[in-house]
Amino acid sequence: MIPSQDIFTISSAKQFEKIALKVFRYQHENNAIYREFCDLLKTDKGAVKSLEQIPFLPIQFFKSHEVLSSSAPVQETFTSSGTTGMITSKHLITDVTLYEQSYRNAFSEFYGNIEDYAVLALLPSYLERTGSSLIYMVKDLIELSNNENSGFYLHNYDELISKLLELDAAGQNVILIGVTYALLDLIEKRKFQLKNTIIMETGGMKGKRKEIIREELHQILCEGFGVSSIHSEYGMTELLSQAYSLGNGIFECPSWMHILIRDPEDALTYVSNGKTGGINVIDLANINSCSFIASQDLGKKYPNNSFEVLGRFDNSDIRGCNLMVY
């Protein structure tokens, strides 16, 4: 077993690769689903010596299998959102402290001390269901902020507008984290000129509005809130870590998370920096499930391990991944 302090204290690319290879061997031995997937790819565990040689489990497996590398009791089950009748992903968590360490450390790395902020959350579609990993994280950040003004808002937009105006005018640093469609709803009710507030969108229209490209969305949000940039969070049910964009849609990873871009025509090869392909995520916080995930997102990677999300694969576009459909 790899100690969590080894994961969250990584300080170089060489150290990351060393621990990632150790995690790969651990999960190959302890995760029956992942091992079976590797066997179908005829992966020789002993021959895997680099990140690019590690097999990445298609993210759809979290919909059809229990993806576990631990025999410990399940403490939390995080589920993805979905329309009625849709099969949702389940991420079984045997040690929720790994998730807490991951998002707390990442927040500190990108934003500093949580106690410097009032955290306002506008996440109606997440709040209205159970099993959201995003709600779990934001609820904890609200509590850690130790600020009486921090809290969730559902459909009480007028109350949120008053609170935003009051706190911003008082010079209080604020983070407003919101699902995209709700942020758009908010600025249709009131235009702002905020000076001390970070707007962080978590993506997703959730079927409430037509999808629009990021550049257009961020321009609308910047004008509506009177801010110069929009921050974004890149996370998902199947991961225990998040990447953050502090503007311009360019995401950066915490030191225990890494992105590779696979060829959209051949899932087992990679494209060079600046080329579009499928996003593969290494999340070492996923030690008890699977740390090597082939997502359904399309993106580009840049030289300093930053990346951009460009959209999603259509299901018919996913090639070379569906080896274990039963």
Side-chain angles (χ1 to χ4, degrees):
M1 185 64 184
I2 294 91
S4 62
Q5 63 263 31
D6 288 0
I7 292 168
F8 298 117
T9 55
I10 290 171
S11 58
S12 69
K14 187 175 180 182
Q15 189 183 9
F16 180 92
E17 185 166 66
K18 181 181 176 185
I19 294 174
L21 288 168
K22 197 183 288 189
V23 169
F24 161 69
R25 290 189 288 273
Y26 172 77
Q27 292 183 340
H28 189 281
E29 288 169 16
N30 292 280
N31 186 324
I33 295 298
Y34 183 56
R35 183 170 60 252
E36 191 176 345
F37 178 71
C38 290
D39 289 347
L40 283 171
L41 294 176
K42 297 183 168 49
T43 303
D44 176 358
K45 183 180 74 169
V48 173
K49 305 290 187 189
S50 70
L51 299 181
E52 290 76 13
Q53 293 173 315
I54 295 173
F56 283 75
L57 189 74
I59 200 165
Q60 304 95 301
F61 277 60
F62 284 84
K63 291 184 176 181
S64 54
H65 298 77
E66 292 192 347
V67 182
L68 280 169
S69 300
S70 169
S71 58
V74 173
Q75 296 178 350
E76 293 279 345
T77 299
F78 292 135
T79 56
S80 61
S81 54
T83 53
T84 305
M86 190 176 167
I87 299 171
T88 56
S89 291
K90 286 187 177 178
H91 193 179
L92 305 178
I93 310 299
T94 58
D95 183 359
V96 77
T97 65
L98 285 169
Y99 184 41
E100 292 167 351
Q101 285 182 80
S102 179
Y103 65 68
R104 288 172 183 175
N105 288 353
F107 185 92
S108 177
E109 185 176 322
F110 289 102
Y111 293 100
N113 189 340
I114 184 65
E115 292 190 356
D116 292 339
Y117 298 91
V119 180
L120 308 182
L122 183 59
L123 300 165
S125 54
Y126 293 92
L127 263 183
E128 292 165 316
R129 66 179 185 83
T130 58
S132 167
S133 57
L134 179 62
I135 293 297
Y136 187 101
M137 175 181 81
V138 174
K139 182 173 183 287
D140 190 48
L141 292 176
I142 284 171
E143 290 170 4
L144 290 171
S145 72
N146 282 326
N147 190 306
E148 63 182 8
N149 295 296
S150 294
F152 284 101
Y153 291 81
L154 191 54
H155 301 296
N156 44 340
Y157 288 169
D158 291 338
E159 191 182 332
L160 175 56
I161 288 167
S162 298
K163 183 63 72 176
L164 266 176
L165 293 171
E166 173 199 330
L167 294 177
D168 196 80
Q172 168 70 57
N173 291 326
V174 176
I175 292 183
L176 172 60
I177 181 165
V179 64
T180 304
Y181 79 82
L183 293 174
L184 290 169
D185 288 347
L186 185 65
I187 57 173
E188 284 181 359
K189 288 183 76 73
R190 170 70 189 246
K191 294 286 189 286
F192 299 86
Q193 284 298 321
L194 300 173
K195 301 282 188 291
N196 301 295
T197 301
I198 292 169
I199 307 298
M200 184 187 294
E201 55 99 2
T202 66
M205 293 300 188
K206 305 296 177 191
K208 306 280 187 183
R209 285 172 175 258
K210 185 177 154 222
E211 296 284 346
I212 54 178
I213 62 169
R214 177 186 52 78
E215 288 85 357
E216 184 185 350
L217 168 67
H218 282 202
Q219 184 180 355
I220 293 167
L221 291 176
C222 280
E223 289 172 2
F225 286 105
V227 296
S228 58
S229 64
I230 300 297
H231 292 218
S232 304
E233 180 252 9
Y234 180 78
M236 57 191 78
T237 301
E238 300 84 357
L239 302 178
L240 291 186
S241 299
Q242 300 79 30
Y244 288 100
S245 166
L246 308 190
N248 306 317
I250 305 299
F251 291 91
E252 294 182 51
C253 297
S255 60
W256 55 92
M257 182 180 179
H258 188 84
I259 299 296
L260 295 169
I261 305 294
R262 67 181 184 272
D263 188 321
E265 297 293 331
D266 178 2
L268 304 180
T269 62
Y270 294 96
V271 299
S272 53
N273 285 343
K275 297 280 180 67
T276 300
I279 295 177
N280 282 4
V281 183
I282 302 176
D283 179 6
L284 298 182
N286 269 16
I287 181 73
N288 294 326
S289 53
C290 183
S291 290
F292 311 99
I293 306 292
S295 82
Q296 289 181 283
D297 293 327
L298 282 166
K300 292 180 182 178
K301 186 177 170 182
Y302 299 107
N304 60 348
N305 198 32
S306 65
F307 67 101
E308 193 173 357
V309 182
L310 301 172
R312 289 175 71 78
F313 278 100
D314 180 86
N315 280 330
S316 62
D317 290 336
I318 298 173
R319 300 179 177 89
C321 280
N322 300 319
L323 293 172
M324 278 174 69
V325 179
Y326 48 73

